[in-house]
Amino acid sequence: MSVLRVGLLGCGTVGSGVFQILSRNRELLEQRTGLSIQVTRVATKDFDRAREAGVADELLTDDLMNVVEADDVDVVCELMGGLEPARTAILAALKAGKHIVTANKALLAHHAADLFPAAAEAGRELAYEASVGGSIPIIRALKEGYVAENIQGLYGIINGTTNYILSAMADSGRDFSDVLAEAQQLGYAEADPTFDVEGVDAAHKVAILAMLAYGVRFDYRKIPTEGITGISKADIDFAHRFGYRIKLIAIARLQDERLDVRVHPTMIPETSQLAQVHGVFNAVYLEGDNVGPSLLFGRGAGSLPTASAVLSDIVAIGRNGGARRVPDLAYEPRFVRDIEVLPGEEIRSEYYVRVHVLDQPGVLGQITTVLGGHGISIASVLQLDQPTDNKVPLVLVTHTTTEGNLRGALAEIEQLYCTAGPSTFIRILENLS
Amino acid sequence: MSVLRVGLLGCGTVGSGVFQILSRNRELLEQRTGLSIQVTRVATKDFDRAREAGVADELLTDDLMNVVEADDVDVVCELMGGLEPARTAILAALKAGKHIVTANKALLAHHAADLFPAAAEAGRELAYEASVGGSIPIIRALKEGYVAENIQGLYGIINGTTNYILSAMADSGRDFSDVLAEAQQLGYAEADPTFDVEGVDAAHKVAILAMLAYGVRFDYRKIPTEGITGISKADIDFAHRFGYRIKLIAIARLQDERLDVRVHPTMIPETSQLAQVHGVFNAVYLEGDNVGPSLLFGRGAGSLPTASAVLSDIVAIGRNGGARRVPDLAYEPRFVRDIEVLPGEEIRSEYYVRVHVLDQPGVLGQITTVLGGHGISIASVLQLDQPTDNKVPLVLVTHTTTEGNLRGALAEIEQLYCTAGPSTFIRILENLS
């Protein structure tokens, strides 16, 4: 049986999971692959945690370079997260002739432009199934399963924290801060939840998916990104009345010669597949020109699900026997092209709009006049007659328009005498199976 | 750009789809793979249909051997279906040094025992992503994505015809024969629908999935298989009252040292992921010891979805450059073991039971006494009081018991004076996410 020697950088949540799986499913892995996967070195600052995960003392080091440059390591697994020293360590490992497996989506979103060429130059693999969707084999599906597909749109629930929070808000009627506190207690949200709740984590991940689906290079920092902190109980209730659920959806599709890639709370039909994705689960839904609607669903995070994806990459490297058989980014490097990200104000969508108005006659007429003046027509209206302090929410759904138009109209509406306070809008995705 | 030369055996629904995709997505495929896929020969009896699909006359032959043994063919795609001459042609092609791509699940279910060893001996690939779940990349996911998973259960909706019929029956309240006729008109069911509606097609497919998931060899003809012809509107309505949907579910899991593999109409929770799979769509749900609940969803049949899966296999063979990098059946051949299929009477399940009884006092007591005598306890009962001809349906759900126990009890119940006509039962799967 051929031996594949693995060095870990980091032995926290995911690294411990790798040890746990190797310990309990070793025989199964050997029967399936003919490979004996041996962890030969582990770099970590927290020796105690690594020992708890079953790492023998002689494997431990606190110096990344002891793993990166070791003669007894074939594959380096970067499981530290963060930009540095992860980036430097990976580049050094490639230079030392190691294959790389990483779960680090932030790093790939930021540094795809130097990491992947470095891997190509070194003739080594840079694998990252665990970086998006945890246990969901979406990277492999995009590189191999859907290789014949012109992908017409890709829509993901790819952040478990926000999906947990939105699901719990919808199910229990509690508000954001209340549910966030609970999610933190349960370990589903970090002490500093900014990256998750502001959509940054999902933006990192959709940047990777967009590169793979379309063979494009772009500045991930230009991705229009909006988190879920502004979602209220009221919006969730109104969404329900219109037949929608609110989810944090990451979108990637081509619009003419630009990349429409974005992350924001989205109203999707309650009967759609993505609307059934509850709690910390993730799913990626895509439409291909041949396969039509397709969906992959599973756990998007956690020690064992993520470690399982890491192991699938380690195995693939072992099976490839050193060959770089599939391009790292799903397209032959010479065909990868630069593309401009569609700016936020040019996004075309239907919109849910909530305006607080004074409870007096003629208000709807004034507001629809302003919308009409910006070329926006209305699909449906919900006017409620339970005024608080003489104010009522006016809720409407527009037909498709650009976000620039909508923002212009809302700025004008907020100046009307009949308007009491700021307005809110949420994008709608109607055509999901 | 390296050229991969493909010969087709059969140019019907799937073969035409392969041509259509190659014609419209050729550039995309080349950008992703660096491969130029050229169809060099097409064997078919129906030249006119092939010409309609865009096949040039000089490629056409009516002799399979002209493709199988041709010097200008690297990969033979067997898209004829059926056992013979498909089997003989594949064996001859392997002998002639060709790699094989097939969508033929019946053939693999029947002849895995001779086809896969022949491929191994020839040192060629035998790829079959299109054989199960059409466009769903489930074969690849089982071989590679979930390679580190001890799979605790696999549950599939893998026959589109029956899922269409059951969905339409549930949505419209029509009965089986009515909906079947409609499905035949729409092209979702064959003129002779036996293979689909009796569960045989699903049994072929789950045989393949079970081999891959568990590394086992068994007699696929022993798979307990029950179709949907006995499902009535009444059962669908009762299922709904208990919070279930009826789907034709293919199951594969290990029970002790035997393989619990079967196909039958199944009541599953209305809130489960599989219950949301409507119409002709397919889905495979599995639970892994690390990844937990996972689901892959998409079109299970049709020209383009199936052809897309065929092309993913052709590309993989091209990318492998002749290497057999993953075992054909997901386990190294020396670790594949023989296993006994769990016989039908030993299946353990909860059951929905419908008995027609006379509308008189004491009936429930008599029936529960018989069930209790066979060790079966009751979870819930629905007794209706709209008698027809003095008969009422008595509907109950049992706790877990063996099918042997249940059948014994029902045989006895049918002999009771209070019983008017045969009883019906449907298996229940409770613990699906």
Side-chain angles (χ1 to χ4, degrees), chain B residues 90-304:
Chain B
I90 288 176
L91 290 171
L94 286 169
K95 209 162 260 176
K98 316 304 182 196
H99 298 287
I100 310 293
V101 174
T102 180
N104 192 334
K105 57 265 181 182
L107 181 65
L108 297 178
H110 279 85
H111 292 301
D114 43 317
L115 291 172
F116 290 107
E121 200 184 321
R124 294 297 180 273
E125 295 203 58
L126 174 47
Y128 51 93
E129 182 64 71
S131 67
V132 183
S135 67
I136 302 172
I138 181 63
I139 304 294
R140 198 161 270 119
L142 286 171
K143 284 182 169 185
E144 307 215 41
Y146 301 124
V147 70
E149 293 305 300
N150 187 338
I151 292 170
Q152 278 144 351
L154 183 153
Y155 308 88
I157 293 174
I158 49 180
N159 178 272
T161 305
T162 47
N163 202 52
Y164 175 83
I165 293 173
L166 291 173
S167 300
M169 286 175 72
D171 294 347
S172 68
R174 285 177 296 157
D175 65 21
F176 173 78
S177 56
D178 197 13
V179 173
L180 172 61
E182 181 193 77
Q184 286 171 320
Q185 275 186 334
L186 292 169
Y188 296 155
E190 310 271 345
D192 176 359
T194 314
F195 256 44
D196 292 313
V197 300
E198 296 297 357
V200 180
D201 175 72
H204 289 151
K205 292 168 177 166
V206 77
I208 297 169
L209 297 179
M211 289 190 264
L212 289 166
Y214 302 111
V216 290
R217 218 172 5 232
F218 57 95
D219 184 351
Y220 111 90
R221 291 165 301 181
K222 299 243 168 93
I223 298 176
T225 302
E226 183 180 306
I228 65 165
T229 54
I231 300 297
S232 69
K233 288 193 291 189
D235 295 322
I236 288 174
D237 289 344
F238 288 127
H240 182 64
R241 294 206 199 188
F242 284 108
Y244 297 119
R245 268 204 168 235
I246 301 178
K247 296 284 187 187
L248 185 72
I249 303 286
I251 299 173
R253 55 192 182 192
L254 295 177
Q255 187 180 307
D256 305 318
E257 281 308 299
R258 293 186 293 179
L259 182 65
D260 180 10
V261 57
R262 42 191 160 108
V263 173
H264 50 64
T266 312
M267 291 196 183
I268 58 174
E270 256 170 359
T271 53
S272 64
Q273 291 274 325
L274 283 179
Q276 321 301 327
V277 177
H278 305 299
V280 295
F281 282 94
N282 280 200
V284 177
Y285 170 89
L286 61 84
E287 285 175 13
D289 60 342
N290 305 305
V291 300
S294 303
L295 178 122
L296 281 72
F297 163 95
R299 284 198 198 282
S303 172
L304 295 172

Side-chain angles (χ1 to χ4, degrees), chain A residues 142-225:
Chain A
L142 286 171
K143 285 181 168 186
E144 307 214 43
Y146 301 124
V147 70
E149 293 304 299
N150 188 338
I151 292 169
Q152 278 143 353
L154 184 152
Y155 308 88
I157 294 174
I158 49 179
N159 179 271
T161 305
T162 47
N163 202 52
Y164 175 83
I165 292 172
L166 291 173
S167 300
M169 287 174 73
D171 294 346
S172 68
R174 286 176 295 159
D175 65 20
F176 174 78
S177 55
D178 196 14
V179 173
L180 172 61
E182 181 193 77
Q184 287 171 319
Q185 273 185 334
L186 292 170
Y188 296 155
E190 310 271 345
D192 176 0
T194 313
F195 256 44
D196 292 313
V197 299
E198 296 297 356
V200 180
D201 175 72
H204 289 150
K205 292 169 178 167
V206 78
I208 296 169
L209 297 179
M211 291 190 264
L212 289 167
Y214 302 111
V216 291
R217 218 173 3 233
F218 57 93
D219 183 352
Y220 112 89
R221 290 165 303 180
K222 299 243 167 92
I223 297 176
T225 303

Side-chain angles (χ1 to χ4, degrees), chain B residues 43-57:
Chain B
T44 178
K45 284 180 185 155
D46 190 346
F47 280 29
D48 287 342
R49 183 162 185 191
R51 289 185 185 114
E52 271 170 43
V55 182
D57 265 21

Side-chain angles (χ1 to χ4, degrees), chain A residues 92-154:
Chain A
L94 286 169
K95 208 162 261 177
K98 315 303 183 198
H99 298 288
I100 309 293
V101 174
T102 179
N104 192 334
K105 58 262 179 185
L107 181 65
L108 297 178
H110 278 85
H111 293 300
D114 46 317
L115 291 171
F116 289 107
E121 201 185 322
R124 293 296 181 272
E125 295 203 57
L126 174 47
Y128 50 95
E129 182 65 71
S131 67
V132 182
S135 67
I136 301 173
I138 181 64
I139 305 295
R140 197 161 272 119
L142 286 171
K143 285 181 168 186
E144 307 214 43
Y146 301 124
V147 70
E149 293 304 299
N150 188 338
I151 292 169
Q152 278 143 353
L154 184 152

Side-chain angles (χ1 to χ4, degrees), chain A residues 222-243:
Chain A
K222 299 243 167 92
I223 297 176
T225 303
E226 184 180 305
I228 64 163
T229 55
I231 300 297
S232 70
K233 285 191 294 192
D235 295 322
I236 287 173
D237 289 344
F238 287 128
H240 183 62
R241 292 206 201 190
F242 284 107

Side-chain angles (χ1 to χ4, degrees), chain A residues 21 24-25 31-32 135 143 147-149 213 273 276 289-290 295 297 308 319-320 325 331-332, chain B residues 24-25 31-32 135 143 147-149 213 273 276 289-291 294-295 297 308 319-320 325 331-332:
Chain A
I21 295 177
R24 75 175 176 200
N25 288 351
Q31 292 183 353
R32 286 181 177 154
S135 67
K143 285 181 168 186
V147 70
E149 293 304 299
Q273 291 272 325
Q276 320 302 328
D289 59 343
N290 305 305
L295 179 120
F297 163 95
S308 182
R319 284 171 163 172
N320 291 346
R325 56 180 286 283
Y331 283 71
E332 294 284 305
Chain B
R24 74 174 180 205
N25 287 351
Q31 292 182 352
R32 286 182 176 152
S135 67
K143 284 182 169 185
V147 70
E149 293 305 300
Q273 291 274 325
Q276 321 301 327
D289 60 342
N290 305 305
V291 300
S294 303
L295 178 122
F297 163 95
S308 182
R319 284 171 163 169
N320 291 346
R325 58 181 281 284
Y331 283 71
E332 294 283 303

